[in-house]
Amino acid sequence: MMNMNIVIIDDEAVICSGIQNMVENSGNDWQVYEIYTDAEEALEFCDWDRVDLLLSDINMPEIDGLTLVDTLKERGHDVQVIFISGYTEFKYAQKALQQKAIDYIIKPVSVKILKEAINKTAAVIERKRKNQRDEKFIADNISSITKSFIYEMVFETRRLSKREIEEGLKYCNLANTRFTLMSFVLGDLDKIRKTIKGINQEGMRAFLFTSKSNYNMIVVCEDEESRKGADQVKQTLHAHVPELMIVQTQTSGSILKLAEANYQMMAHHKKDLLTLRADRGNPDQSAAMKKQENYSPHVISAIQFIKEHYAQKISLSSLAEELYVHPTYLSNSFKKQTGTNIVDFINNYRIEVAKELLKDSRNKIYWVADRVGFANQRYFSQKFKKITGCTPVEYKQKAFFGS
């Protein structure tokens, strides 16, 4: 049977436990990955990139199941959903199915109905996995797939396993490829994009990566036996974009050396570039970081606990339990006194720590995400950009170049 990671969310712990027993005793290779009684906690702290199926109640406090699924979709998470609810009104089932939920199960849940729904989900997931491996799918999307793969290898945004790297090399036809990285400043980006598109239509492969840090890059992929690909790309670029100024080039023999080659090129780029961006604003100050003189003892203790344990999983319920106060009281007091809720405060503080860690170019982005307590690296990048206005890659480059 197909392996699946399943997350269960219901505000009643006894319901979660019952569903978990049904899943684990089904005789299938299904794994209960996480269990949550708080949908907001699940949204913030679960690594959704590892989840195949969500079994969720609809009627929950703070965030209901339908809103939860909408938010997951907005964040780009492709998770199959089975809603479980005591509400029999048709409007709930209709809305759930409109969200492309696999099924809608009414409590109390029977083993037979649950197994049928999960089997239906397994078939959908297996078809999607097969499509992702399908040669036509890869051929139709090879350019974007290759660019994403190279981006992950260059900037180390995600920890890739040996198997993932081998599959990426195979699908993207990069097994016997040498890579030339070229950093540049100046030049009309629209003209550069059109030129790169023309280069790729002529049979060569070049990919453009831009950022707000003025560190722009082109990665040229060529057969190991060739020695003309990068030179031809340079000549074509200068012919179509004469004002383009290529600052540095760096060659990587193996795809495993791409990140190292990028750091070397960044160092040369920093040394050789005469004019850097002078946009030096004051660092953002979160409202949650203001002076604590008028805070109550419970709020001060909560802030201290967060600062000492930010790298661990922290939820409102666990924090309240640690401080021996009711979660609702702590939540209301914290929001009233600091101007922000506890989840936002935790994330803001984690991002502040992440910014310091990213100033060291040796620190990989996925390591920083894990180090500051984000289970999901993609969500870390989304939250980082929302708070700072730039991606972790862009911030790392800005810190390196002193801009």
Side-chain angles (χ1 to χ4, degrees), residues 87-147:
Y87 284 79
T88 57
E89 290 92 337
F90 178 70
K91 64 178 181 180
Y92 285 101
Q94 187 179 41
K95 180 68 184 295
L97 295 175
Q98 283 175 350
Q99 287 187 316
K100 297 185 178 179
I102 296 294
D103 216 329
Y104 182 94
I105 300 175
I106 304 299
K107 297 176 182 177
V109 179
S110 74
V111 175
K112 179 182 178 182
I113 292 176
L114 181 64
K115 285 183 68 174
E116 288 176 352
I118 296 180
N119 275 322
K120 189 192 302 183
T121 306
V124 172
I125 293 173
E126 180 58 30
R127 283 197 300 271
K128 295 185 76 170
R129 290 180 180 177
K130 183 178 179 181
N131 286 339
Q132 289 173 349
R133 297 189 298 265
D134 184 80
E135 291 183 3
K136 185 177 185 304
F137 175 86
I138 295 171
D140 291 344
N141 298 275
I142 190 63
S143 181
S144 59
I145 291 173
T146 303
K147 184 173 182 178

Side-chain angles (χ1 to χ4, degrees), residues 191-204:
K191 287 165 64 177
I192 295 171
R193 291 189 183 96
K194 291 178 182 177
T195 304
I196 292 293
K197 183 177 180 180
I199 288 170
N200 288 328
Q201 289 174 343
E202 292 175 3
M204 291 183 286

Side-chain angles (χ1 to χ4, degrees), residues 175-211:
N176 298 307
T177 301
R178 63 196 296 267
F179 302 87
T180 299
L181 294 75
M182 299 184 293
S183 66
F184 67 89
V185 293
L186 308 179
D188 185 321
L189 283 178
D190 286 335
K191 287 165 64 177
I192 295 171
R193 291 189 183 96
K194 291 178 182 177
T195 304
I196 292 293
K197 183 177 180 180
I199 288 170
N200 288 328
Q201 289 174 343
E202 292 175 3
M204 291 183 286
R205 287 197 289 179
F207 299 93
L208 173 66
F209 300 98
T210 62
S211 76

